[in-house]
Amino acid sequence: MYDVTARRDGQHPDGEPVNAGKSASVAAKAAVIDAAQARPLTWKTIVMRALAVAVAGAALYLVLPKLIAVLGAWPRLSTLNPVWFTVCLAAELVSFTCNFALQRLALRTKDWFPVVTAGLLATRSPACPAAARRAPPSSSGCSPPRGSTPTPRSAA
């Protein structure tokens, strides 16, 4: 366990530990931050982060003129008829529903909850497919299609 009193600057002038009145989770987060600050960054980490910033900057440089044009057209939305906005939202809702219904048919399950939550999670997390492959088959509530043979899972 991390001891905040062992640090030279881990105490207030009156001798009380810095994290004395805080919950354990806050102290644990402080310990993680202190441990991360104690490790110096490697060259590989610095190069990868600089490359990510450069790619983001180049993408922003290329997209920014179009983004400004779109944001410049924002006042035109006030002339949009609310009926068409409602039709647009309804069409999007029908699109999601049809997508999840198709996935439900492919999985041969009657349950909506695991299909919808997996679909919504997959749109938010690029790591979801790998996590879904590692999960046991019974955890999603979906059974494999009849007649299919289980495939060997790789140790991830």
Side-chain angles (χ1 to χ4, degrees):
M1 188 67 187
Y2 184 76
D3 183 16
V4 292
T5 60
R7 292 179 47 214
R8 180 174 40 96
D9 58 340
Q11 293 183 347
H12 287 290
D14 60 354
E16 179 181 315
V18 172
N19 295 328
K22 297 180 182 174
S23 67
S25 64
V26 173
K29 289 177 185 176
V32 170
I33 291 171
D34 287 342
Q37 288 175 344
R39 282 191 324 245
L41 293 176
T42 63
W43 278 106
K44 183 179 177 182
T45 303
I46 292 171
V47 168
M48 292 303 289
R49 288 183 182 177
L51 184 64
V53 168
V55 167
L60 191 58
Y61 177 76
L62 295 173
V63 173
L64 191 61
K66 294 292 181 184
L67 185 63
I68 289 173
V70 167
L71 292 177
W74 190 267
R76 290 181 48 203
L77 286 177
S78 64
T79 62
L80 180 67
N81 189 347
V83 172
W84 287 113
F85 188 71
T86 305
V87 169
C88 178
L89 287 179
E92 190 65 29
L93 181 66
V94 168
S95 167
F96 271 94
T97 304
C98 289
N99 182 19
F100 295 141
L102 183 63
Q103 289 178 11
R104 212 176 112 230
L105 285 172
L107 291 171
R108 296 185 183 170
T109 182
K110 294 188 184 296
D111 297 331
W112 281 92
F113 183 77
V115 175
V116 172
T117 53
L120 292 176
L121 181 63
T123 60
R124 299 293 301 156
S125 171
C128 180
R133 283 193 300 270
R134 286 193 299 267
S138 63
S139 68
S140 67
C142 298
S143 58
R146 281 175 265 165
S148 68
T149 58
T151 57
R153 296 173 191 250
S154 62

